[in-house]
Amino acid sequence: MTQKVLPSNPLVAVSDNGAPITSDGGNVLLSMFLNSPVVSRLFNNVEFNDNRKNPRYAKVELLLQMLIQVIEGYRNADVADYLT
C-alpha cells in the first residue's frame, strides 16, 4: 500500500491500496487544498459585489463550492442530463 503525508498538513496521510474510488473521492484533498491558509488568504482578498440581505453562507464559501463543482465537472453533467 502506498501512503504519502500531505506537505501542507502532516496530520493527513493519503493511501492507495488499489481499490477504485468514486469520482468524488478526490474532493477531500481538493477541499483541503482550497482551504489551506495560502489559498484562503488569496480568496479573502477577492472583491465581491454582494447585495444579499441575510446571507446564509460566506462569499468565500460559495466561491470554493463553485470551484469544486467546476473542477469536478458537475456543470458538464448538468448540461449532458439536459441534452438527454
Side-chain angles (χ1 to χ4, degrees), residues 16-38:
D16 176 21
N17 63 0
I21 59 171
T22 67
S23 60
D24 294 332
N27 281 351
V28 173
L29 296 175
L30 179 60
S31 180
M32 288 181 66
F33 170 73
L34 291 174
N35 287 308
S36 68
V38 173

Side-chain angles (χ1 to χ4, degrees), residues 1-3 14-21:
M1 173 165 40
T2 305
Q3 184 173 14
V14 179
S15 61
D16 176 21
N17 63 0
I21 59 171

Side-chain angles (χ1 to χ4, degrees), residues 3-4 7 11-12 20-21 28 30 35-37 45-46 50 53 58 62 68 71-72 75-78 81-82 84:
Q3 184 173 14
K4 291 192 174 203
L11 298 176
V12 176
I21 59 171
V28 173
L30 179 60
N35 287 308
S36 68
N45 291 327
V46 173
D50 189 7
K53 300 287 185 212
L62 296 175
I68 290 172
I71 291 169
E72 287 290 318
R75 170 113 171 83
N76 297 336
D78 289 343
D81 289 345
Y82 177 75
T84 57

Side-chain angles (χ1 to χ4, degrees), residues 40-75:
S40 293
R41 278 195 304 272
L42 175 69
F43 287 145
N44 284 324
N45 291 327
V46 173
E47 294 287 329
F48 289 98
N49 183 11
D50 189 7
N51 298 323
R52 298 177 293 166
K53 300 287 185 212
N54 297 313
R56 184 177 211 173
Y57 300 101
K59 298 171 282 190
V60 172
E61 289 175 357
L62 296 175
L63 176 63
L64 292 175
Q65 180 64 35
M66 183 201 67
L67 282 173
I68 290 172
Q69 288 176 336
V70 168
I71 291 169
E72 287 290 318
Y74 281 105
R75 170 113 171 83

